[in-house]
Amino acid sequence: MRHGLPALAGLVFALACSAAPEATPDAGAVPAVFMLEALEAEMGVLPRSETELRAHYGREDGTPVAGVEVRFAIFGDPRGSTLSRDRATTDEEGVASVTLSAGAGDGEYEFRVRASVDTAVADFFVAVSATGFADATVRMAYAGDQGGAITGLRVRLYAATACAEIDPRAPPEGARSQAVASIDDEARFTNLLSQQRYAAFAGGAGGEGSPVVGCATLAPGQLRTGLASELVVTLDDLAATPARDFTV
């Protein structure tokens, strides 16, 4: 049983998506690039339910590739949740799928399932709850001294994490992630747990080329089931932000 909206087009992202080059005997040729993406990366499921996880593998232009083995693995504490198998082969549409059986544990919990083909990976973020899910919209503001537009913006949402635990110079992997075109745009995350703590970390390059970063925390209970909450992350110049010591 699924809840919430499909992954946003931007989420096909960058958020849970990376590429692997195709080996070629011609060293002078430009190698083809293949992409692996989670077709529904943010999932909300009920305890004891079964849900299909579908990953697409294809060329950079979207052309599917059949007959490729995709591996699946669980990260974090799934509380009894299991996968029907740990690998699957892509069909004619380039899709490989496995069935997730959610655990019967009480309360809310979240874990991650990673699909991989060589160096290409795609992450599914699975939230399990019997009481529903919440959404969060992340907006940004800039308080630094660099002029010009901020580019290369990406917003990461970490579960069970506080801002003080994130090194702004090397934010860890394993987060929901969205690329954002400009500071005036927003990132939206779906199927979140109302009693979970989340840290929204944003970063990019300022108008003068130096990094800008910011982070804000969603405390347990701040999200409301069935509603969309809004969070503002204030970016500042990284040079003015000591490593592991910022609370903007």
Side-chain angles (χ1 to χ4, degrees):
M1 180 175 182
R2 301 179 185 171
H3 297 261
L5 299 172
L8 300 174
L11 190 126
V12 162
F13 65 170
L15 161 199
C17 171
S18 64
E22 178 185 29
T24 173
D26 183 359
V30 177
V33 175
F34 293 94
M35 308 293 292
L36 181 68
E37 65 187 50
L39 294 184
E40 190 175 354
E42 296 182 282
M43 310 190 74
V45 302
L46 293 171
R48 305 178 184 86
S49 67
E50 291 190 346
T51 305
E52 189 178 35
L53 304 184
R54 302 168 68 241
H56 179 270
Y57 187 72
R59 293 180 179 270
E60 194 173 21
D61 63 3
T63 304
V65 178
V68 175
E69 184 179 83
V70 180
R71 295 175 178 270
F72 294 82
I74 292 177
F75 291 81
D77 182 3
R79 298 195 191 179
S81 301
T82 59
L83 299 176
S84 58
R85 48 186 172 169
D86 64 2
R87 63 194 68 191
T89 302
T90 56
D91 59 19
E92 292 183 356
E93 296 181 348
V95 175
S97 63
V98 298
T99 299
L100 169 72
S101 297
D106 294 330
E108 301 181 336
Y109 57 100
E110 182 173 326
F111 59 93
R112 178 166 53 99
V113 177
R114 168 160 288 186
S116 63
V117 177
D118 296 326
T119 59
V121 299
D123 286 335
F124 299 86
F125 297 89
V126 182
V128 183
S129 173
T131 58
F133 306 91
D135 296 345
T137 298
V138 179
R139 302 182 188 276
M140 288 164 288
Y142 178 55
D145 297 324
Q146 299 183 63
I150 297 175
T151 58
L153 280 167
R154 181 170 295 281
V155 180
R156 297 175 172 87
L157 191 70
Y158 295 92
T161 303
C163 287
E165 300 174 55
I166 300 173
D167 184 345
R169 289 171 171 76
E173 297 182 354
R176 304 173 189 236
S177 174
Q178 292 186 29
V180 181
S182 77
I183 199 169
D184 296 321
D185 294 324
E186 63 188 33
R188 187 181 184 197
F189 298 95
T190 64
N191 289 321
L192 305 177
L193 300 175
S194 62
Q195 297 304 312
Q196 179 68 278
R197 178 187 301 277
Y198 293 95
F201 176 89
E208 299 173 12
S210 297
V212 298
V213 297
C215 188
T217 298
L218 281 165
Q222 190 172 342
L223 291 170
R224 299 296 181 184
T225 299
L227 299 176
S229 299
E230 184 174 303
L231 182 67
V232 177
V233 175
T234 301
L235 303 175
D236 203 349
D237 299 327
L238 181 58
T241 307
R244 310 190 71 82
D245 185 27
F246 69 104
T247 56
V248 292

